[in-house]
Amino acid sequence: QKEVEQNSGPLSVPEGAIASLNCTYSDRGSQSFFWYRQYSGKSPELIMSIYSNGDKEDGRFTAQLNKASQYVSLLIRDSQPSDSATYLCAVHNAGNNRKLIWGLGTSLAVNP
Amino acid sequence: DVKVTQSSRYLVKRTGEKVFLECVQDMDHENMFWYRQDPGLGLRLIYFSYDVKMKEKGDIPEGYSVSREKKERFSLILESASTNQTSMYLCASSFPATKGGELFFGEGSRLTVL
């Protein structure tokens, strides 16, 4: 079992729809959770961080964390073609030598 | 505007050459990291550093070394480049442990070893 798992996709949604990206993790001691966006040929960019159970909203993005079920998700409302990218989930346990554990990413395509 | 700057965007080297990849950040971050990213393998941590003159091995340190003589600069060294080190290399920095997952990445250095 991988430490952080994501569906590789591609996830294809029409413009204006809600894109839902999911991530599960295995380390119950994880405390911090992050979503990075990576455009093709570019480096990852942090778009959301979440540290406690529940929802966190930032513009069109909502991160959801459920520690009991060990999953974190990212919702993108009113998806735009510019949201087409790979979304990387990363999980952090400060006690685990402070290293981030990365998923392999989900490729999202938003179709006009 | 905060920045992580990598010295070279594209490099082509020959097998056996010594390769230096340099990274400078202007955010006064304690933590710095070197990753490589390959299709299907994702981001893999090579080395990291939480302080000047300090370094720790990541998950794939073989064939690499690092240097951190100043807080803002973290260099990755390939002592004798091999074709399996052809990859995208990403430098990142972050604040200390409480926000250790909030990484700022450089633009990346795409290395081809022939």
Side-chain angles (χ1 to χ4, degrees):
Chain A
Q1 180 190 6
K2 292 180 183 174
E3 293 180 89
V4 176
E5 293 206 51
Q6 298 181 251
N7 188 324
S8 63
L11 174 65
S12 183
V13 300
E15 184 174 355
I18 296 175
S20 178
L21 305 159
N22 299 312
C23 170
T24 58
Y25 61 93
S26 59
D27 180 2
R28 283 196 171 274
S30 300
Q31 300 138 344
S32 309
F33 306 86
F34 307 91
W35 284 99
Y36 286 77
R37 177 178 62 200
Q38 186 173 25
Y39 292 115
S40 180
K42 302 292 186 182
S43 57
E45 172 193 18
L46 178 68
I47 55 171
M48 288 289 284
S49 56
I50 186 165
Y51 301 94
S52 55
N53 277 330
D55 294 0
K56 179 182 177 183
E57 187 174 319
D58 184 1
R60 295 186 296 111
F61 298 96
T62 299
Q64 299 175 317
L65 174 61
N66 184 324
K67 288 187 178 180
S69 300
Q70 294 175 249
Y71 82 79
V72 56
S73 61
L74 179 70
L75 301 178
I76 307 175
R77 290 183 301 282
D78 189 24
S79 295
Q80 301 297 309
S82 59
D83 294 325
S84 299
T86 296
Y87 290 81
L88 302 171
C89 174
V91 175
H92 188 240
N93 180 345
N96 182 24
N97 211 9
R98 294 178 278 174
K99 288 192 296 182
L100 264 184
I101 307 300
W102 295 86
L104 294 182
T106 297
S107 175
L108 172 67
V110 180
N111 305 307
Chain B
D1 193 21
V2 295
K3 261 200 162 181
V4 178
T5 304
Q6 294 185 227
S7 55
S8 305
R9 291 294 309 278
Y10 301 95
L11 304 95
V12 179
K13 299 292 182 180
R14 296 208 173 273
T15 302
E17 280 192 76
K18 192 168 186 176
V19 181
F20 292 89
L21 299 178
E22 299 201 324
C23 175
V24 177
Q25 51 95 3
D26 65 0
M27 294 170 280
D28 202 33
H29 285 165
E30 281 80 0
N31 304 341
M32 296 190 74
F33 306 85
W34 274 106
Y35 286 92
R36 62 178 284 177
Q37 188 174 32
D38 302 285
L41 297 177
L43 281 162
R44 293 184 289 167
L45 183 63
I46 305 172
Y47 268 97
F48 59 103
S49 169
Y50 293 140
D51 202 352
V52 177
K53 307 240 183 226
M54 176 269 184
K55 59 186 178 184
E56 290 192 40
K57 292 180 180 179
D59 300 316
I60 52 162
E62 297 78 19
Y64 303 94
S65 62
V66 290
S67 170
R68 194 167 180 197
E69 296 294 319
K70 293 184 178 182
K71 186 176 184 179
E72 68 271 18
R73 187 180 298 270
F74 192 36
S75 301
L76 180 69
I77 303 152
L78 287 68
E79 293 288 344
S80 178
S82 62
T83 55
N84 63 12
Q85 292 178 310
T86 292
S87 186
M88 170 67 87
Y89 289 88
L90 293 164
C91 175
S93 69
S94 75
F95 290 111
T98 52
K99 293 187 177 181
E102 297 183 2
L103 301 189
F104 294 84
F105 283 89
E107 291 187 317
S109 299
R110 185 166 292 282
L111 172 66
T112 301
V113 183
L114 303 175

